[in-house]
Amino acid sequence: MIPSLRLDGQTVFITGAAKGMGRSITLTLAEAGADIALAGRDMEALQTVAAEVRALGRQAGAIFCDVTSETSVGTAVASAVDTFKPGRWGLVNVAGATGPSGKKLWEHTLADVEEVFDINVFGTFLTMKFLIPHMMVAKAGSIVNIGGTFGFKGVRDASAYGATKWALRGFTKSAALEAGRAGVRVNMVSPGGVDGPRLTRQLGEEAERDGIDLATKYARFAAGTALGRMSTADDVAAAVLFLMSDAAGNITGQDLLVDGGTIV
């Protein structure tokens, strides 16, 4: 019998839970039966999505969390543990930043690189650092870190951002080895360009540099995939649900591409 995709009995701590891909992941996991600890800095947006989760019949709590601060992450995790007291924890790291674009590596300042690493890499490290011990006590847990296709190739004019995705793959695979015997699985989902405001802004900046209109840039981007379409937030959420569920019970240390066949 194929294990269920249901997440009943789990509480999932989600960073970047309130907007775009994070919101889609939050609601998808809640629909599958998970209670949700929504972590981030925009408390108004978090509270709005938390209300949507409660409307699905699940528990939800909005928790302030600045992933660039060890103190803030530690406090947020402690608050979630005290509030939910679940038998089983899950963690999804969505919070991220793109950093500066349009710069060559040698044009970056150290501050440019540190800023994007603080959020994308160290933020993910910190949530895993504080939550994995709770998962190990329960001898169960699942983590999904959101990466990207830039972790599979070199990146022109966004080297700092690309480097964070490679670093995330290293942390994910190492954590999978270190926590696996305690029943904790650690995986990644790596989207291609996900249709939405952030991608529109990025493509708009590239189109301006290339001297073409946004519609042309958008069409060329989609045409670069095997399936000929952009990924959506719901595409990513479905992959996260699979990896969080018992249906993926023997999968760990993997990086699942959700990119329409950009990397093949």
Side-chain angles (χ1 to χ4, degrees):
M1 179 181 295
I2 298 175
S4 172
L5 290 171
R6 296 289 302 173
L7 302 179
D8 301 288
Q10 292 193 43
T11 296
V12 183
F13 188 100
I14 305 178
T15 68
K19 300 174 183 177
M21 186 164 43
R23 176 179 175 273
S24 292
I25 292 169
T26 296
L27 296 179
T28 296
L29 301 190
E31 287 172 351
D35 297 324
I36 309 291
L38 298 88
R41 294 182 295 186
D42 187 340
M43 293 302 293
E44 183 177 354
L46 290 173
Q47 291 286 8
T48 297
V49 180
E52 294 182 82
V53 171
R54 295 187 195 102
L56 294 170
R58 307 313 311 164
Q59 294 185 58
I63 302 172
F64 180 83
C65 182
D66 178 355
V67 298
T68 68
S69 164
E70 182 172 5
T71 299
S72 181
V73 174
T75 299
V77 169
S79 176
V81 170
D82 184 61
T83 299
F84 289 93
K85 300 181 176 67
R88 184 172 173 181
W89 274 106
L91 168 63
V92 182
N93 282 301
V94 184
T98 56
S101 62
K103 286 185 175 183
K104 306 299 182 188
L105 182 147
W106 55 88
E107 295 172 336
H108 286 304
T109 65
L110 180 59
D112 288 338
V113 177
E114 288 176 335
E115 181 179 4
V116 69
F117 265 79
D118 278 346
I119 297 173
N120 293 2
V121 179
F122 302 141
T124 297
F125 157 73
L126 288 171
T127 56
M128 291 197 293
K129 167 185 169 64
F130 285 109
L131 261 175
I132 286 176
H134 294 283
M135 296 178 179
M136 294 176 73
V137 168
K139 299 189 182 305
S142 180
I143 298 171
V144 176
N145 299 321
I146 301 300
T149 54
F150 285 1
F152 288 81
K153 60 184 180 180
V155 183
R156 182 181 288 111
D157 296 334
S159 56
Y161 176 70
T164 66
K165 299 306 181 182
W166 283 96
L168 279 178
R169 296 185 74 200
F171 265 133
T172 297
K173 292 178 179 293
S174 295
L177 288 171
E178 292 168 349
R181 294 298 175 90
V184 179
R185 297 184 298 105
V186 190
N187 291 291
M188 287 183 70
V189 167
S190 288
V194 177
D195 206 0
R198 177 186 288 185
L199 182 64
T200 298
R201 174 179 57 79
Q202 291 173 335
L203 292 181
E205 292 172 354
E206 293 177 15
E208 185 175 352
R209 289 197 298 269
D210 295 344
I212 60 176
D213 60 80
L214 176 59
T216 300
K217 186 70 178 181
Y218 188 99
R220 288 178 181 175
F221 190 98
T225 71
L227 296 179
R229 73 171 181 88
M230 298 287 196
S231 298
T232 68
D234 288 343
D235 292 328
V236 178
V240 171
L241 172 59
F242 168 66
L243 289 174
M244 292 295 292
S245 76
D246 288 342
N250 202 38
I251 299 174
T252 194
Q254 302 306 305
D255 194 346
L256 177 58
L257 283 159
V258 181
D259 66 344
T262 303
I263 305 291
V264 294

